[in-house]
Amino acid sequence: TVQALLLKEGDNVIEIGCGTGKNLELLSAAAGPGGTVFGFDVSKGMLSRAIGRKEKNNLTNVELILTDASDYTPSKKINAVLFSLSYATMIHRREVLKKMWNLISPGGRVVIMDAQYPPGLAGKLMAPVKPFITLFLRASVLGNPHIKITAELSEITGMNPGVTEYSMKTYFIATAVKPFSR
């Protein structure tokens, strides 16, 4: 997922819902010492674990912020935004996505990695247990599986996102690249 951001040395990136910070090392390395990784989360517990990971790995280009993404504007230009298993958990996700799309520089990318019910035969085989899976997902950190994430990304960005599916199509990475002004 981090590779889909196509970060270069000196780029600044936001991870919305950075959680325990599992992506921080990869994001930090991709942005390099001249770039900054902003990790946003609304959970003090998750962010404290991310802070521990940041300190343990001496990630000096990482700033972790306890905030709702819709309430914070970074002081630097932003080249990329990552939602990693966080988009479907947010009640006001569309507002956050719109703000992030408006924040990124032309040529910047928004990447969303999330889970989905698999299409086709695998989805049909899951049909009898789908209500139970939905209850579990809504009660867990994975959020609402009925959200049409790629459709929302397309609607807000005006782009047809690139989509790559993984693990029998139960996970996907959707990418939108902000065009340069014409």
Side-chain angles (χ1 to χ4, degrees):
T1 303
V2 171
Q3 288 177 345
L5 293 165
L6 298 180
L7 294 173
K8 300 178 298 301
E9 161 67 36
D11 279 351
N12 300 312
V13 59
I14 295 174
E15 182 177 10
I16 305 294
C18 66
T20 62
K22 288 187 177 187
N23 295 320
L24 293 178
E25 286 177 80
L26 294 171
L27 291 167
S28 175
T36 303
V37 177
F38 296 94
F40 296 171
D41 210 292
V42 295
S43 168
K44 274 186 182 180
M46 293 284 218
L47 207 59
S48 69
R49 291 177 66 192
I51 290 168
R53 184 170 273 155
K54 171 191 169 183
E55 290 170 355
K56 176 184 173 192
N57 294 297
N58 194 31
L59 304 175
T60 57
N61 65 342
V62 173
E63 294 182 25
L64 298 171
I65 302 129
L66 180 65
T67 189
D68 183 307
S70 63
D71 295 334
Y72 189 85
T73 302
S75 58
K76 299 179 179 183
K77 76 174 185 138
I78 301 301
N79 305 97
V81 175
L82 172 63
F83 296 83
S84 180
L85 294 174
S86 61
Y87 188 80
T89 66
M90 296 185 302
I91 295 169
H92 60 306
R93 65 192 177 277
R94 295 168 64 85
E95 174 188 331
V96 171
L97 178 57
K98 186 174 184 176
K99 179 176 182 172
M100 293 301 120
W101 182 250
N102 290 332
L103 260 180
I104 62 171
S105 301
R109 303 166 83 78
V110 170
V111 174
I112 301 175
M113 190 280 287
D114 226 306
Q116 66 185 0
Y117 284 121
L121 181 60
K124 289 177 184 172
L125 292 172
M126 289 176 66
V129 294
K130 210 172 186 180
F132 302 106
I133 294 171
T134 299
L135 286 173
F136 169 75
L137 292 175
R138 285 189 173 172
S140 73
V141 297
L142 295 177
N144 184 347
H146 297 294
I147 294 170
K148 304 292 184 205
I149 295 173
T150 55
E152 290 184 11
L153 181 59
S154 178
E155 178 186 325
I156 289 168
T157 65
M159 312 289 297
N160 287 325
V163 179
T164 307
E165 296 174 313
Y166 299 91
S167 299
M168 296 175 28
K169 299 186 178 190
T170 57
Y171 289 91
F172 66 91
I173 296 173
T175 305
V177 180
K178 190 169 190 175
F180 290 90
S181 299
R182 295 180 187 146

XYZ file of all heavy atoms in Angstrom, residues 3 6 9-10 29 50 83 87 104 110 128 135 143 149 155 160-161 167 169 172 177 181:
168
model
N 3.781 1.539 -1.246
C 4.361 1.675 -2.590
C 3.407 2.385 -3.543
O 3.843 3.120 -4.428
C 4.731 0.307 -3.145
C 5.928 -0.305 -2.466
C 6.230 -1.702 -2.982
O 5.410 -2.335 -3.635
N 7.425 -2.193 -2.669
N 3.742 6.147 -4.223
C 4.843 6.628 -5.069
C 5.572 7.816 -4.434
O 5.858 8.827 -5.099
C 4.349 6.983 -6.475
C 3.756 5.843 -7.293
C 3.311 6.343 -8.659
C 4.734 4.685 -7.447
N 11.822 11.071 -2.050
C 12.572 11.763 -0.996
C 12.070 13.205 -0.884
O 11.959 13.906 -1.885
C 14.061 11.743 -1.352
C 14.906 12.768 -0.629
C 15.036 12.525 0.874
O 15.098 11.352 1.277
O 15.049 13.508 1.624
N 11.730 13.601 0.321
C 11.270 14.969 0.560
C 9.769 15.144 0.521
O 9.274 16.239 0.800
N 10.679 5.805 5.658
C 11.753 5.484 4.711
C 11.439 6.044 3.329
O 12.326 6.576 2.649
C 11.956 3.972 4.644
N 1.627 3.942 18.710
C 2.361 4.478 17.554
C 3.553 5.316 18.023
O 4.634 5.242 17.436
C 1.423 5.314 16.676
N -5.195 6.118 3.600
C -6.198 5.548 4.496
C -5.945 4.042 4.468
O -6.177 3.402 3.448
C -7.623 5.792 3.992
C -8.064 7.231 3.930
C -7.733 8.034 2.850
C -8.850 7.767 4.935
C -8.170 9.342 2.761
C -9.296 9.083 4.864
C -8.952 9.870 3.779
N -10.792 4.066 6.376
C -11.850 4.837 5.709
C -13.248 4.365 6.107
O -14.107 5.176 6.443
C -11.668 4.775 4.188
C -12.613 5.702 3.446
C -12.331 7.053 3.352
C -13.782 5.230 2.874
C -13.195 7.919 2.695
C -14.649 6.086 2.219
C -14.355 7.429 2.134
O -15.220 8.279 1.493
N -3.962 17.994 -0.994
C -2.780 17.483 -1.688
C -2.429 18.336 -2.904
O -3.286 18.931 -3.542
C -2.901 15.995 -2.093
C -4.046 15.769 -3.067
C -3.009 15.108 -0.884
C -4.066 14.362 -3.655
N -4.089 10.017 -3.454
C -4.852 9.494 -2.323
C -4.940 7.988 -2.537
O -5.349 7.535 -3.611
C -6.269 10.097 -2.236
C -7.111 9.363 -1.214
C -6.196 11.575 -1.887
N -24.934 -16.747 3.210
C -25.665 -17.168 4.417
C -25.090 -16.595 5.720
O -25.832 -16.415 6.687
C -25.531 -18.699 4.412
C -25.205 -19.061 2.999
C -24.444 -17.892 2.449
N -22.108 -7.786 11.298
C -22.164 -7.403 12.714
C -20.775 -7.383 13.330
O -20.416 -6.457 14.066
C -23.063 -8.361 13.491
C -24.560 -8.205 13.279
C -25.322 -9.333 13.971
C -25.032 -6.856 13.788
N -14.979 -1.524 10.513
C -16.030 -0.623 10.069
C -17.132 -1.255 9.255
O -17.425 -2.435 9.362
N -16.523 2.248 -1.248
C -15.371 3.137 -1.107
C -14.884 3.671 -2.446
O -14.649 4.871 -2.603
C -14.236 2.438 -0.337
C -14.708 2.149 1.097
C -12.961 3.276 -0.343
C -13.755 1.308 1.917
N -16.400 9.785 -6.871
C -17.316 10.925 -6.801
C -16.613 12.175 -6.259
O -16.742 13.267 -6.818
C -18.497 10.567 -5.900
C -19.492 11.682 -5.715
C -20.556 11.319 -4.692
O -20.950 10.141 -4.614
O -20.983 12.236 -3.971
N -11.540 8.294 -12.021
C -11.773 6.856 -11.922
C -10.545 6.270 -11.249
O -9.471 6.235 -11.866
C -11.973 6.226 -13.304
C -13.313 6.580 -13.899
O -14.296 6.706 -13.183
N -13.340 6.772 -15.199
N -10.686 5.841 -9.998
C -9.495 5.359 -9.296
C -8.983 4.050 -9.879
O -9.748 3.233 -10.375
C -9.990 5.166 -7.856
C -11.463 5.015 -7.957
C -11.888 5.776 -9.176
N -5.976 -11.036 -1.959
C -6.525 -12.040 -1.035
C -7.943 -12.451 -1.427
O -8.891 -12.233 -0.680
C -6.494 -11.528 0.405
O -5.182 -11.265 0.815
N -9.843 -11.157 -3.515
C -10.644 -9.947 -3.693
C -11.327 -9.472 -2.414
O -12.308 -8.740 -2.457
C -11.665 -10.135 -4.819
C -11.007 -10.423 -6.149
C -12.009 -10.468 -7.261
C -11.278 -10.703 -8.574
N -12.114 -10.549 -9.717
N -8.516 -4.471 -1.124
C -8.207 -3.728 -2.345
C -7.402 -2.484 -1.997
O -7.412 -2.008 -0.860
C -9.486 -3.327 -3.089
C -10.319 -2.333 -2.334
C -10.138 -0.972 -2.520
C -11.258 -2.761 -1.421
C -10.889 -0.057 -1.805
C -12.018 -1.854 -0.702
C -11.836 -0.497 -0.889
N -5.075 10.072 -8.481
C -3.975 11.016 -8.641
C -4.574 12.371 -9.011
O -5.341 12.489 -9.969
C -2.997 10.551 -9.753
C -1.854 11.538 -9.911
C -2.485 9.159 -9.456
N -3.199 21.492 -12.960
C -4.149 22.451 -13.532
C -3.937 22.556 -15.024
O -2.828 22.462 -15.527
C -3.951 23.835 -12.893
O -4.191 23.763 -11.517
